[in-house]
Amino acid sequence: MLSMASRGMAGFGLLVLFACFAIAASLSDTVFYENFDEDFEGRWVVSQNSDYGGTWKHAKSDGHDDYGLLVSEKAKKYGIAVDLPEKVDPKDGSLVLQYDLRLQNGLECGGAYLKFLQPQEAGWTANDFNNESPYSIMFGPDKCGATNKVHFIFRHKNPTTGKYVEHHLKNPPVPAGDKLSHVYTAIIYPNNTLRILIDGEEKKTADLLSEEFEPTVIPAKTIPDPEDKKPEDWDDRAKIPDPDATKPDDWDEDAPREIEDEEAEKPEGWLDDEPDEVDDPEAVKPEDWDDEEDGEWEPPKITNPKCEEGPGCGEWKRPLKANPAYKGKWRAPMIDNPAYQGIWAPRQIPNPEYFELEKLNLEAVAAIGIEIWTMQDGIFFDNILVAHDEAVAEEYRKTTWEPKHTVEKEKEAAEAKKSDDKADKTSVDNIKEKVFEALNKIAEVPFLAKYKEQIDAVLDKAESNPNVTLGVLATIPVLLFTMLFSLCLGKKKSPPAVTTGAIKKEDLVTADDVSVPKGEQVEEAEQEQAGEIEKEGVSARRRPRRET
């Protein structure tokens, strides 16, 4: 019998073995993965077709250290392709297609989709990759004009005719319209079900064999016979004029629709002899008017003021009214057509292209191509995946796309908050800003240069204090006006006391804030002939002149 230690080692070994199997199974489910950490040159082939002149770049996503494949020029066609390590046949099981896309400059007109190409034996080469290169599935955003959708198109070979037909998803989802990274996923199941996910959230589910695709994969059993023609004597009129009807004897087809209102009377005060318009009495003939060259000058017309004041001018005419005898052109009433044969349609014949199908026969995928025309640059492709298990795609979304998207969302939210904070600036703040701007300009006036130091000190203190009140702001222009008034009289007056009311102590403008330097005190003493400056408390007042 095995010991406890032996059984423990055996159990651990089994866990390791199961983990190895799980990793191997996950790797086997991943057919192709491209994260563009390394330069794409040597692995991807840029189309040399002359129509595809757009330059692809191996670049970092804006704000990240993550590399991807970048559309670098506007208004260009782009073509690039890469072979898969092995062909993928959708008939063998589920097929998962996924890639990251970031429209760094938005998308107004252009494509941003991938083409999952048939093997090159179908008639294409990577060097000449173009719009005609045969693909099995086309998937991804496309926007221009009225088009704004996530394409899902597959090409299916009609087994009866051997012709390939493109089948378009009728109501596809709308792509993300911002400038953040998004991940697009398409999953095709063996039961013909399609799921489209954006950022891991299901946006569309459809049956590939249903009428959700245009045209449907399975054609109609019958079609209109192209050789069948409508007989010349076919009567498809449901209603006809009554051949037995006759026009009544009293029916007057010539009676007018409107007649004069005989009961109307001319309003009292109507000015029959006044014209509707008169010459503009204020118009003056231009000095440079030459009667010989320009003709006789006539003043412009204006509405006759008398007509505006009265009920009307000119010849009065009775207004028109509806004619009660008016009947118009007589027509026979409509009756059911006794010879009516119904709406003609060509007869139905068996559709020579009809076939029956229980399981979709998609073409194998052997390569991935990006073949787009776009007016925008900054289209960023990354983390392209082809797999069999949707769990693999989910894991890649969590580890590669989600961290990038989270960072971008946080940055976007921070920028939005900053913008909102700026927009929320109160009207008081705006008023305060304009007042300080005006006061600072006033402080630069030359004849106030003597007081500039004191004015600047007061403004600096008030402007730096967020709780400054409008009362303090109102004080400053009073001080400036007082100084200006003193200068005009040739005498220096001290600013009046400030009643601050409910102003906080720390917001008070004190005498110390506006004190005069000692050198200027002497000058003030000389200028002051009959008064004295006395400082009391927080205000400076001038005493009244002494009586002599």
Side-chain angles (χ1 to χ4, degrees):
M1 183 177 291
L2 292 173
S3 64
M4 291 294 292
S6 298
R7 285 199 295 268
M9 290 297 294
F12 177 75
L14 287 173
L15 289 175
V16 173
L17 185 60
F18 284 136
C20 291
F21 278 136
I23 294 172
S26 177
L27 292 174
S28 66
D29 285 328
T30 302
V31 177
F32 175 84
Y33 176 66
E34 173 64 85
N35 58 13
F36 295 103
D37 285 349
E38 302 295 332
D39 199 336
F40 61 85
E41 291 186 6
R43 292 178 292 112
W44 291 70
V45 178
V46 177
S47 176
Q48 301 303 307
N49 187 294
S50 59
D51 290 340
Y52 296 82
T55 301
W56 294 100
K57 286 188 177 180
H58 181 242
K60 290 182 179 180
S61 178
D62 186 21
H64 301 288
D65 289 330
D66 183 40
Y67 281 91
L69 185 63
L70 180 68
V71 169
S72 65
E73 299 175 284
K74 299 179 180 180
K76 296 281 188 179
K77 282 186 175 181
Y78 289 80
I80 192 170
V82 63
D83 287 330
L84 299 183
E86 61 184 66
K87 289 194 298 186
V88 180
D89 193 337
K91 296 188 293 294
D92 293 341
S94 296
L95 177 61
V96 182
L97 311 173
Q98 180 171 283
Y99 69 104
D100 292 3
L101 177 69
R102 187 179 187 189
L103 307 172
Q104 297 183 147
N105 298 324
L107 186 64
E108 294 298 326
C109 187
Y113 44 77
L114 303 187
K115 287 185 173 181
F116 298 87
L117 302 158
Q118 292 180 225
Q120 294 192 23
E121 291 80 5
W124 70 280
T125 62
N127 284 327
D128 191 43
F129 176 46
N130 58 69
N131 185 52
E132 300 298 323
S133 299
Y135 66 89
S136 179
I137 297 170
M138 188 174 114
F139 171 58
D142 187 19
K143 180 180 180 181
C144 199
T147 299
N148 185 24
K149 58 188 175 183
V150 178
H151 277 299
F152 188 91
I153 307 171
F154 65 91
R155 294 173 75 247
H156 184 264
K157 185 178 181 180
N158 185 309
T160 302
T161 64
K163 296 178 181 178
Y164 282 95
V165 179
E166 288 186 350
H167 303 277
H168 296 243
L169 183 60
K170 281 185 180 179
N171 298 302
V174 176
D178 54 37
K179 299 179 181 180
L180 308 180
S181 295
H182 296 279
V183 56
Y184 293 86
T185 311
I187 308 170
I188 302 170
Y189 297 95
N191 65 354
N192 303 320
T193 298
L194 165 70
R195 289 179 67 219
I196 294 178
L197 291 72
I198 301 177
D199 297 345
E201 181 180 346
E202 184 179 295
K203 297 296 183 179
K204 182 71 176 181
T205 301
D207 185 341
L208 296 171
L209 295 180
S210 73
E211 294 184 353
E212 294 181 89
F213 284 84
E214 178 64 35
T216 56
V217 173
I218 300 176
K221 287 186 178 182
T222 62
I223 60 171
D225 184 356
E227 304 296 330
D228 192 14
K229 305 298 180 183
K230 179 181 178 180
E232 293 182 2
D233 61 349
W234 188 276
D235 194 341
D236 54 7
R237 298 173 300 163
K239 297 281 187 179
I240 61 171
D242 184 355
D244 298 327
T246 57
K247 183 172 70 172
D249 293 336
D250 62 346
W251 191 285
D252 184 2
E253 292 184 342
D254 299 326
R257 185 184 294 271
E258 293 181 321
I259 58 174
E260 286 187 354
D261 184 359
E262 297 295 340
E263 298 180 357
E265 296 182 358
K266 183 169 65 174
E268 185 177 352
W270 188 275
L271 306 175
D272 298 87
D273 299 329
E274 287 289 342
D276 292 334
E277 293 184 336
V278 295
D279 293 341
D280 184 356
E282 297 182 1
V284 179
K285 181 180 179 179
E287 295 180 0
D288 59 350
W289 187 276
D290 190 326
D291 290 337
E292 294 183 358
E293 294 184 2
D294 303 326
E296 183 180 356
W297 182 81
E298 294 181 358
K301 300 288 186 181
I302 62 171
T303 302
N304 189 342
K306 295 181 180 180
C307 296
E308 293 181 343
E309 296 172 359
C313 293
E315 182 184 359
W316 180 81
K317 295 180 181 180
R318 284 189 174 87
L320 298 177
K321 68 175 184 178
N323 182 3
Y326 172 76
K327 295 184 179 182
K329 189 74 175 176
W330 181 84
R331 292 180 176 82
M334 303 297 288
I335 62 171
D336 292 335
N337 182 5
Y340 177 62
Q341 295 174 269
I343 303 298
W344 183 88
R347 63 175 175 267
Q348 295 287 308
I349 62 173
N351 185 357
E353 297 185 359
Y354 175 75
F355 62 89
E356 294 183 357
L357 187 69
E358 293 184 0
K359 182 174 173 57
L360 191 65
N361 185 24
L362 283 173
E363 295 296 323
V365 174
I368 297 175
I370 307 176
E371 184 274 317
I372 57 175
W373 177 88
T374 179
M375 294 300 293
Q376 269 73 46
D377 57 358
I379 301 176
F380 189 86
F381 296 90
D382 198 8
N383 298 314
I384 300 174
L385 171 70
V386 178
H388 292 297
D389 189 351
E390 57 187 291
V392 175
E394 182 180 1
E395 185 62 26
Y396 275 112
R397 288 196 299 269
K398 289 181 178 179
T399 57
T400 61
W401 165 76
E402 194 170 299
K404 289 189 301 183
H405 186 72
T406 300
V407 170
E408 293 162 7
K409 287 288 288 182
E410 291 174 350
K411 181 179 178 182
E412 183 183 58
E415 292 176 351
K417 185 178 184 303
K418 183 178 179 181
S419 177
D420 291 342
D421 290 345
K422 186 176 181 180
D424 289 341
K425 193 173 184 179
T426 64
S427 58
V428 174
D429 291 331
N430 290 327
I431 293 172
K432 196 169 104 175
E433 181 179 335
K434 293 183 185 301
V435 169
F436 278 113
E437 182 180 350
L439 292 177
N440 277 292
K441 288 182 179 179
I442 293 174
E444 298 295 330
V445 176
F447 61 75
L448 293 177
K450 181 188 302 183
Y451 307 100
K452 189 176 187 307
E453 184 177 347
Q454 300 97 295
I455 294 172
D456 287 344
V458 174
L459 291 178
D460 288 343
K461 182 173 182 180
E463 195 169 6
S464 63
N465 190 335
N467 297 319
V468 68
T469 64
L470 291 177
V472 174
L473 289 175
T475 302
I476 298 172
V478 173
L479 296 176
L480 293 174
F481 176 78
T482 303
M483 295 176 184
L484 179 62
F485 184 74
S486 299
L487 286 174
C488 291
L489 295 178
K491 298 179 180 181
K492 179 70 178 179
K493 292 186 178 182
S494 300
V498 180
T499 303
T500 59
I503 299 176
K504 296 180 181 180
K505 181 178 181 180
E506 59 268 23
D507 291 336
L508 290 175
V509 181
T510 65
D512 294 336
D513 294 326
V514 294
S515 60
V516 182
K518 293 182 179 179
E520 296 183 7
Q521 292 176 358
V522 176
E523 184 178 351
E524 282 189 333
E526 294 175 352
Q527 292 179 350
E528 187 67 39
Q529 297 177 359
E532 293 181 1
I533 297 177
E534 180 180 83
K535 298 180 180 179
E536 297 178 0
V538 296
S539 63
R541 296 186 180 180
R542 179 179 173 184
R543 292 181 179 178
R545 295 176 179 270
R546 296 188 181 93
E547 296 182 359
T548 56

